[in-house]
Amino acid sequence: MTKDQIFEFFRRLAEDNPEPETELEYGNCYQLVVAVALSAQATDVGVNKATRALFAKVETPQQMLNLGEDGLKEHIKTIGLFNSKAKNVIALSQLLVDEYDGEVPDTRDDLVRLPGVGRKTANVVLNCWFRQETFAVDTHILRVGNRTGLAKGKTPEQVEAKLEKRVPQPFRLHAHHWLILHGRYICKARTPECWRCQVVDLCSYKQKVLEKPKR
């Protein structure tokens, strides 16, 4: 994609959804960290179902420690890998209490110190809560970046680096949300719904599905 095409790509996505947000539900920054950590290899819908009752009880790292690992598991047992995720959430809560006075830090270096928090999770927190221009590359963005030609790369890190270079203002803050939602609902893994895609003419994907398959 050329610079002009990239600008037009995001202009159309922005016009369609001016203020995109994560579909994870949370009430404060700590709950966001927990929700994103739980969302690895799980759907946002599944995480939200599990965390509604949890977040009604737990708003702070100390409250999570009071609940304990077994109590947490009871809330999140419907989520994949819940045993290891529960361990990580308790451990990251302990670290926040011990070293950060229970507050979530606002730098990537500090965030990735937290157990279960990788670069992608840190980028989501920095973007959604601290309003930093970060690009959290998940499977949807990896697919959309490569398919469209917007940001090609074999790894999330490679695609993130390309997005850092190529996404222009005023679209940088919301770019990763637009790309995730586009991948989740239109540029789907098995059958991309090119027939209703607002950026289809800008996309370099050769196997476009231009007609809705008949059932």
Side-chain angles (χ1 to χ4, degrees):
M1 276 195 206
T2 65
K3 281 186 178 179
D4 287 347
Q5 286 175 321
I6 292 170
F7 190 92
E8 179 63 13
F9 180 94
F10 283 107
R11 188 197 67 75
R12 292 184 200 174
L13 295 181
E15 186 176 57
D16 194 51
N17 184 5
E19 291 290 330
E21 295 180 347
T22 177
E23 294 185 322
L24 289 170
E25 297 171 4
Y26 60 95
N28 61 32
C29 190
Y30 171 68
Q31 290 180 341
L32 174 61
V33 172
V34 172
V36 181
L38 294 176
S39 72
Q41 296 177 287
T43 65
D44 288 359
V45 171
V47 172
N48 290 338
K49 278 183 185 175
T51 57
R52 279 177 198 133
L54 174 66
F55 289 164
K57 291 181 179 177
V58 174
E59 295 182 3
T60 67
Q62 187 59 57
Q63 287 173 342
M64 187 69 79
L65 296 176
N66 295 344
L67 178 66
E69 190 174 324
D70 288 340
L72 174 56
K73 284 180 185 177
E74 278 302 305
H75 282 281
I76 66 169
K77 61 189 177 185
T78 55
I79 299 174
L81 307 174
F82 73 93
N83 282 313
S84 59
K85 289 177 180 178
K87 272 191 174 56
N88 283 334
V89 169
I90 294 298
L92 74 82
S93 301
Q94 190 69 60
L95 189 62
L96 287 174
V97 168
D98 291 346
E99 297 192 25
Y100 296 97
D101 295 322
E103 298 293 324
V104 177
D106 62 357
T107 70
R108 187 184 287 115
D109 286 347
D110 281 326
L111 284 167
V112 297
R113 287 188 64 218
L114 302 175
V117 175
R119 185 179 179 88
K120 187 191 85 170
T121 298
N123 280 343
V124 172
V125 174
L126 292 172
N127 181 269
C128 294
W129 190 264
F130 295 108
R131 309 288 287 177
Q132 294 183 26
E133 294 171 356
T134 60
F135 303 91
V137 178
D138 67 352
T139 54
H140 295 302
I141 295 184
L142 192 68
R143 180 173 67 255
V144 171
N146 279 285
R147 254 191 200 160
T148 60
L150 171 67
K152 292 190 174 184
K154 291 182 178 177
T155 66
E157 291 76 17
Q158 289 173 351
V159 170
E160 182 185 344
K162 289 269 180 72
L163 290 171
E164 279 282 3
K165 283 184 182 175
R166 306 192 80 187
V167 178
Q169 294 292 10
F171 308 116
R172 292 176 66 83
L173 181 62
H174 293 317
H176 98 266
H177 287 306
W178 285 314
L179 294 173
I180 287 171
L181 294 170
H182 192 67
R184 187 173 288 164
Y185 296 111
I186 295 177
C187 196
K188 297 176 180 178
R190 288 190 180 177
T191 306
E193 298 183 2
C194 309
W195 67 87
R196 66 184 193 92
C197 175
Q198 64 268 61
V199 291
V200 64
D201 57 311
L202 303 171
C203 170
S204 65
Y205 187 51
K206 289 187 168 56
Q207 284 115 9
K208 290 187 175 80
V209 184
L210 296 172
E211 289 186 18
K212 187 174 182 177
K214 291 173 184 171
R215 303 227 176 243

